[in-house]
Amino acid sequence: MSEIRITTLVVGMVGTNCYLVYDDETKRAVIVDPGDGAGQISAECKRLSLKPDAILLTHGHFDHILAAEELRAEWGLKIYACEKELPVLSDGKKNLVQSYYGRPYGLVPDETVKEGDTLSVAGLIFTVLETPGHTAGSCCYYMEKERVLFSGDTLFQMSYGRIDFPTGSGRAMETSVRRLLAELPDDVTVYPGHMDQTTIAFERTYNPLAEK
């Protein structure tokens, strides 16, 4: 029986977690948040004999999207992002490319998603959870069967994403984190956009936004 595998690559100037999620039997894969280092990501796919089918973006900041265009062109992939994140993806000031690289930049996804959508890509099933706070269109991708959550910059180990960037909101972040901790099972493993993995059970106890 095939199983999913998750390979983590740390990419870019701020150490973003890019994830290769794949079926160990078919080798079909999804790339989550290719923030930089398209060559590094592509080389790892080839080393593992993977066949990427899609890119999932949790939000539109530069450190989660910069390798997406190159990978899309190389592998013929579709890019998915939350429809509410289009203003950030398309604006070099809001996606911070202009601040860090001094040039305009915009990205247009092939498909947009929204709360409750179920994506079937590369033979894998993801449910979209809209989690505004870090940006207005931030989202998480939940694999219910596998008990896996790709949380982007919403939920970190004992922390959460910054709220001082364009379209960020402290109130929305608190609501989003508390929603994840209330609705998801204890044994869900959280794969965040930065830093180490965690679990929902651990964050219910130690996250500063958890309800006490």
Side-chain angles (χ1 to χ4, degrees):
M1 182 178 180
S2 64
E3 297 181 22
I4 71 155
R5 297 283 187 266
I6 300 171
T7 295
T8 305
L9 298 172
V10 180
V11 301
M13 66 168 67
V14 292
T16 302
N17 292 329
C18 170
Y19 298 105
L20 307 179
V21 190
Y22 59 98
D23 184 300
D24 195 39
E25 184 176 286
T26 67
K27 299 298 183 182
R28 294 174 64 197
V30 168
I31 303 170
V32 180
D33 286 350
D36 208 345
Q40 174 189 357
I41 296 167
S42 186
E44 185 67 6
C45 288
K46 292 171 183 175
R47 187 186 72 83
L48 295 170
S49 300
L50 302 183
K51 297 172 284 187
D53 282 4
I55 292 170
L56 305 185
L57 302 178
T58 61
H59 64 288
H61 284 158
F62 78 98
D63 58 316
H64 292 253
I65 68 171
L66 278 183
E69 290 274 23
E70 188 172 338
L71 291 169
R72 171 164 60 182
E74 179 180 358
W75 295 91
L77 309 179
K78 280 189 174 183
I79 299 175
Y80 294 79
C82 182
E83 61 184 8
K84 293 179 181 176
E85 193 68 348
L86 292 178
V88 172
L89 286 164
S90 63
D91 187 325
K93 291 182 179 179
K94 291 179 180 178
N95 63 38
L96 308 179
V97 171
Q98 197 156 317
S99 297
Y100 283 86
Y101 293 92
R103 59 181 173 85
Y105 184 83
L107 175 68
V108 179
D110 299 285
E111 302 282 351
T112 59
V113 298
K114 63 184 183 303
E115 170 68 31
D117 281 354
T118 299
L119 301 180
S120 178
V121 286
L124 308 171
I125 305 297
F126 300 84
T127 299
V128 178
L129 305 177
E130 291 187 9
T131 52
H134 185 59
T135 62
S138 288
C139 71
C140 299
Y141 297 97
Y142 178 44
M143 304 182 77
E144 182 177 10
K145 179 182 175 182
E146 292 81 6
R147 293 291 201 265
V148 164
L149 180 75
F150 297 97
S151 64
D153 285 5
T154 298
L155 181 61
F156 295 150
Q157 185 183 79
M158 299 177 66
S159 189
Y160 51 91
R162 288 176 61 172
I163 55 175
D164 58 332
F165 292 130
T167 78
S169 165
R171 181 171 294 180
M173 178 65 81
E174 182 176 340
T175 298
S176 292
V177 170
R178 289 185 173 182
R179 176 204 176 182
L180 294 175
L181 300 184
E183 294 183 4
L184 298 182
D186 282 352
D187 61 349
V188 169
T189 300
V190 178
Y191 290 83
H194 303 273
M195 303 181 290
D196 295 331
Q197 297 169 29
T198 185
T199 67
I200 292 296
F202 185 87
E203 297 308 313
R204 281 204 185 105
T205 301
Y206 297 107
N207 197 281
L209 292 185
E211 293 190 85
K212 306 301 181 184

